[in-house]
Amino acid sequence: MPDPQVTLPLALAHGLSEEEWRRVLDILGRVPTYPELGIFSVMWSEHCSYKSSRVHLKKFPTSGPRVLQGPGENAGVVDIGDGWAVCFKMESHNHPSYIEPYQGAATGVGGILRDVFTMGARPIASLNALHFGRPGHPRTPHLVKGVVAGVGDYGNCVGVPTVGGQVVFHECYDGNILVNAFTLGLLRADKIFRGCASGAGNPVWYVGSKTGRDGIHGATMASAEFSEETEQKRPTVQVGDPFTEKLLLEACLELMETDAIVGIQDMGAAGLTSSSFEMAGRAGSGIRMNLDEVPVRETGMTPYEILLSESQERMLLVARRGCEEAVRGVFAKWGLDAVRVGEVTDTGRAEIFWRGEKVVDMPVGPVSDQAPLYDRPQAPPADLAARRELDLSAVPDCRDPEGALLALVGSPALCSRRWVYTQYDQTVRTNTVRGPGGDAAVIRVKGTQKAVALTLDVNPRYCHLDPFEGARLAVAEAARNVACVGAEPLAVTDCLNFGNPERPHVMWEFARCVEGMAQACRELSTPVVSGNVSFYNETHGEGIFPTPSVGMVGLIEDVSRCVGNAFCEEGDAVVLLGRTRGHLGGSEYLSLLHGIERGTPPPLDAGRERALLALLRELACEGKVKSLHDCSDGGLLVAVAECGLHSRAALGATLSLQARGMRLDGLLFGEDASRVVATCAPAMLQPLLDRARACAIEATLIGTVGGEALVVNVDGQRLVDRPLRDLRAAWEEGFESVVKRR
């Protein structure tokens, strides 16, 4: 069948605007061929070009003394000393996971693994941030089961542990769930590989799986909102094969031990098109390819389909001339295709042939890195002032603290995620020191005393109420979580999930979140080294809450000083680090118990946060504490309950608190920033208090570990006295109530 005639209506159907169509005509000086139109449509899609976000992303701090590779490559790389570095990135696979939850989530994991090992790093740990709709929504159980199974099966088969993450439920995700995948890899600091097609005459190799029709226009699909035709987009979801991914990983790492590779890149979004154009674009070179050589698994595939296919487990690499046998030999050993499909040129053009005919002849630069940039109109949401109004005088104070605590710990928002993480292999490769359930996961760097801490954080409700402060708080909480295990926060990756950027209020929310993240990263000295933007997360015009997921990586110099979040021993002192003002705006308590999602997020004092982070690392390093746990969602009482629930010995605690004129619900469930629950041996109590005072951090003895119940006295009056087994029953059953709902 001949290619369709390329016209303006066809270009519009491919997602290009009229202005972009005119620009294509100016660049080529003619009407594009059908394959060329496909190339422009995917390379200039929002998903690949970041055309609505790049002007804002420049605000991020991206350099620092430890940064070896910042944004612009497949993943970021940070030096951890002694010749070692870590490579990490987070990516979204939202639309595919809503359409086909198992394969969408699985291929999201596969894609982020390839982003990391294409840099020369062996993946050693993964996280994921999963945002679902209301627990009672009819699709939620199906989506949860499919996504979790897809994440678990792919990671388990490849042999990379999944060691933590986030699971969030909110009605704003009813029609558009979020699946954000994070992977961290380990590599030698002087052995970083990049996606660069340099050296005219160097051969271009296609390696990995064969090409099929799955995933065609996946990047374009991810650059549009959902509608009634959503289910018809099922063919744009890729199908993964984790066993082939494992072979590809090992083959690439083996070849990287030689000097054969000049550049290498994953065929991710937009497949062969994006990898070839981006590699040539970074080098300022050209590329010539023959599509007849591309291994295919379906008959009758056209140049358009081969170029735009997003079939999984494929890489494009540029090798040095003379290393052909080394490339063939390694990939043959692992049973994978390795085919020379072209060569690097010095023309600055992409020339692509099919059956002797040149079907693509276009300049690389304008396609790869000169996509249109838009500084889209911005305006605050019309209801922003109403969102921030919160009259607590109209909200009755808590009359049943015990019942409120049970409701919170048993809610889908705060209950145990054991149902999720027990489906993941958490310990494969035997590097996992602390897995799911803690403030941050901890992964050992074998052969050294070092360990790496990693966590994902964001509170979408905060970002809905105040995007700037909500994003700042996400960075601060992520840093606090890695500090709670004894790590120094090093750097950030992100996954910025938003609605339609063509709506001024969405663009305003995006810009404010970026500005808030950028400020917090500067304040806490944690540069952004990689990331992803996912727009058009909305259905029928209803967008998600702003969800800038923050992935933070930290370094522990001595893994033996790693600290957990669980109560350890009877008689230990319970100390609250940080100041309590009883802030309830945007809190989980108001949302769950009163159906109120208004107010402003808790204020963040960056100086106080920096001092707290330094104190936490010092206390851990010097062995002054037995446990540390961030006090955030659900407030103080939930944080203390979690310390007992994570305790192997099922230890409770008795707390004695002073209200000092504060509302009871604010004292117990308020979410003031920069607070941590610490425990220590009685002999260490005074040194801990003294050190906190020297750091200008408020530290208060609030109780003692022990017993089989959580007992809470406020101003001498006993308000809570509940066996830990009751709290545990509610906490452990909360998630199963979601997945078993029909």
Side-chain angles (χ1 to χ4, degrees):
M1 181 181 295
D3 286 342
Q5 182 180 359
V6 176
T7 61
L8 172 59
L10 186 61
L12 296 177
H14 275 67
L16 295 176
S17 67
E18 285 194 43
E19 178 186 347
E20 290 167 350
W21 168 248
R22 288 193 294 269
R23 188 164 178 174
V24 167
L25 297 179
D26 288 342
I27 289 170
L28 296 179
R30 57 175 170 80
V31 173
T33 65
Y34 188 49
E36 287 172 341
L37 175 63
I39 289 170
F40 273 108
S41 73
V42 293
M43 293 302 293
W44 285 8
S45 70
E46 193 70 59
H47 190 74
C48 290
S49 73
Y50 289 24
K51 58 189 176 186
S52 298
S53 59
R54 275 201 281 176
V55 295
H56 300 283
L57 299 178
K58 293 175 182 177
K59 299 170 186 174
F60 282 147
T62 58
S63 60
R66 290 186 179 271
V67 177
L68 301 178
Q69 176 63 58
E73 270 292 342
N74 292 287
V77 183
V78 174
D79 195 333
I80 61 171
D82 297 331
W84 290 103
V86 287
C87 172
F88 54 96
K89 190 183 182 184
M90 182 158 47
E91 280 274 3
S92 62
H93 229 225
N94 304 335
H95 284 33
S97 298
Y98 183 79
I99 297 169
E100 187 66 60
Y102 181 88
Q103 290 295 351
T107 52
V109 173
I112 198 64
L113 288 169
R114 292 193 300 279
D115 278 343
V116 166
F117 73 73
T118 193
M119 300 292 294
R122 178 173 289 280
I124 58 173
S126 290
L127 307 173
N128 53 76
L130 312 178
H131 292 70
F132 299 104
R134 289 166 293 154
H137 190 280
R139 276 184 63 88
T140 296
H142 164 71
L143 292 169
V144 171
K145 293 173 186 176
V147 165
V148 170
V151 169
D153 286 357
Y154 205 101
N156 296 352
C157 290
V158 176
V160 177
T162 302
V163 293
Q166 264 194 310
V167 182
V168 173
F169 294 95
H170 194 278
E171 63 181 348
C172 75
Y173 306 107
D174 279 354
N176 200 125
I177 65 173
L178 304 182
V179 174
N180 295 172
F182 169 108
T183 289
L184 176 132
L186 181 69
L187 72 165
R188 298 300 298 178
D190 60 353
K191 197 76 170 173
I192 301 172
F193 288 83
R194 294 174 171 87
C196 184
S198 58
N202 279 332
V204 176
W205 290 79
Y206 172 115
V207 300
S209 289
K210 290 178 170 58
T211 294
R213 290 189 172 93
D214 51 320
I216 293 174
H217 271 299
T220 309
M221 181 268 290
S223 303
E225 60 190 70
F226 280 159
S227 66
E228 289 83 355
E229 289 77 35
T230 293
E231 285 300 314
Q232 297 175 16
K233 296 179 179 179
R234 193 175 301 274
T236 64
V237 179
Q238 309 94 326
V239 177
D241 178 356
F243 298 104
T244 299
E245 178 99 339
K246 173 64 172 173
L247 299 175
L248 183 62
L249 185 161
E250 297 299 341
C252 287
L253 293 181
E254 181 173 331
L255 189 62
M256 287 167 174
E257 291 298 316
T258 73
D259 64 352
I261 296 178
V262 173
I264 182 170
Q265 180 152 323
D266 165 41
M267 290 190 214
L272 181 57
T273 291
S274 63
S275 55
S276 57
F277 274 80
E278 288 174 4
M279 290 178 74
R282 291 189 189 106
S285 64
I287 193 165
R288 184 181 297 119
M289 292 192 297
N290 183 2
L291 298 183
D292 298 289
E293 301 298 329
V294 173
V296 295
R297 65 169 183 262
E298 299 184 47
T299 59
M301 290 192 71
T302 66
Y304 180 96
E305 293 172 326
I306 293 170
L307 285 167
L308 271 61
S309 167
E310 295 184 9
S311 294
Q312 296 292 286
E313 296 88 37
R314 304 178 302 157
M315 309 286 274
L316 195 69
L317 68 86
V318 174
R320 301 186 195 281
R321 279 176 291 181
C323 296
E324 287 82 358
E325 289 310 310
V327 176
R328 287 194 188 93
V330 167
F331 284 92
K333 169 186 172 181
W334 293 97
L336 297 170
D337 283 313
V339 180
R340 177 172 173 162
V341 294
E343 64 182 12
V344 177
T345 69
D346 58 6
T347 65
R349 300 184 69 81
E351 300 168 275
I352 302 176
F353 295 83
W354 170 252
R355 296 178 179 172
E357 178 186 353
K358 187 184 288 188
V359 294
V360 172
D361 185 1
M362 55 204 299
V364 169
V367 181
S368 67
D369 56 15
Q370 296 172 35
L373 294 182
Y374 298 117
D375 190 355
R376 296 194 184 276
Q378 301 175 32
D383 65 342
L384 184 63
R387 294 179 191 177
R388 294 177 176 176
E389 289 178 2
L390 177 60
D391 180 9
L392 285 175
S393 66
V395 181
D397 202 350
C398 186
R399 298 189 179 93
D400 181 12
E402 197 171 281
L405 175 61
L406 273 168
L408 283 163
V409 298
S411 70
L414 299 175
C415 68
S416 170
R417 269 56 180 144
R418 180 178 174 82
W419 183 91
V420 175
Y421 65 70
T422 51
Q423 298 185 53
Y424 304 153
D425 191 328
Q426 309 150 33
T427 59
V428 62
R429 303 195 66 82
T430 67
N431 295 317
T432 307
V433 178
R434 296 195 179 276
D439 291 65
V442 178
I443 300 294
R444 177 186 296 105
V445 180
K446 284 182 179 173
T448 76
Q449 290 294 105
K450 300 177 186 290
V452 180
L454 49 156
T455 189
L456 299 180
D457 287 287
V458 68
N459 185 320
R461 192 183 302 113
Y462 288 173
C463 295
H464 175 66
L465 298 172
D466 187 332
F468 181 87
E469 288 300 328
R472 283 184 76 224
L473 287 161
V475 174
E477 183 177 355
R480 197 179 318 127
N481 279 333
V482 300
C484 278
V485 297
E488 173 194 0
L490 294 184
V492 162
T493 185
D494 61 58
C495 202
L496 309 179
N497 306 275
F498 290 80
N500 185 340
E502 298 164 51
R503 303 185 194 280
H505 77 274
V506 172
M507 207 62 234
W508 180 85
E509 291 172 336
F510 178 81
R512 292 297 288 161
C513 277
V514 168
E515 290 161 4
M517 275 187 62
Q519 179 168 314
C521 287
R522 286 191 294 270
E523 290 166 336
L524 303 180
S525 300
T526 53
V528 178
V529 299
S530 61
N532 171 243
V533 177
S534 176
F535 278 133
Y536 296 97
N537 290 289
E538 57 181 77
T539 302
H540 305 306
E542 291 294 322
I544 64 168
F545 280 3
T547 311
S549 292
V550 174
M552 182 76 71
V553 170
L555 175 64
I556 303 173
E557 290 289 356
D558 183 353
V559 67
S560 69
R561 293 299 187 179
C562 174
V563 177
N565 64 348
F567 287 151
C568 297
E569 194 171 352
E570 292 261 0
D572 285 345
V574 182
V575 176
L576 178 63
L577 301 172
R579 184 176 300 171
T580 297
R581 292 192 174 96
H583 192 95
L584 286 168
S587 66
E588 195 65 48
Y589 168 82
L590 283 185
S591 176
L592 180 68
L593 275 300
H594 295 280
I596 296 173
E597 294 187 339
R598 294 198 301 273
T600 57
L604 175 68
D605 182 323
R608 193 177 299 276
E609 186 72 48
R610 282 195 304 271
L612 177 62
L613 297 177
L615 173 64
L616 296 174
R617 298 196 304 274
E618 182 180 325
L619 294 175
C621 183
E622 296 179 359
K624 287 189 173 75
V625 289
K626 291 187 176 180
S627 71
L628 294 168
H629 184 31
D630 173 36
C631 183
S632 53
D633 296 352
L636 175 60
L637 211 52
V638 168
V640 173
E642 288 172 342
C643 293
L645 292 168
H646 285 291
S647 167
R648 292 181 180 178
L651 291 169
T654 298
L655 306 185
S656 296
L657 307 174
Q658 303 297 316
R660 298 187 177 91
M662 200 181 307
R663 284 178 61 112
L664 183 61
D665 50 12
L667 172 68
L668 300 180
F669 306 113
E671 297 179 2
D672 301 281
S674 309
R675 295 188 303 164
V676 168
V677 174
T679 64
C680 66
M684 282 292 163
L685 175 60
Q686 197 56 50
L688 187 159
L689 297 175
D690 291 343
R691 191 69 202 109
R693 190 177 302 112
C695 294
I697 296 297
E698 191 168 314
T700 309
L701 174 65
I702 60 170
T704 306
V705 174
E708 298 179 352
L710 179 58
V711 178
V712 182
N713 302 300
V714 178
D715 295 335
Q717 181 181 359
R718 181 156 296 184
L719 300 181
V720 176
D721 188 351
R722 195 76 177 198
L724 203 62
R725 64 176 178 273
D726 293 350
L727 293 172
R728 183 176 299 282
W731 185 62
E732 291 185 345
E733 292 169 7
F735 207 93
E736 294 204 4
S737 69
V738 176
V739 293
K740 290 181 178 178
R741 187 177 279 112
R742 295 189 182 276

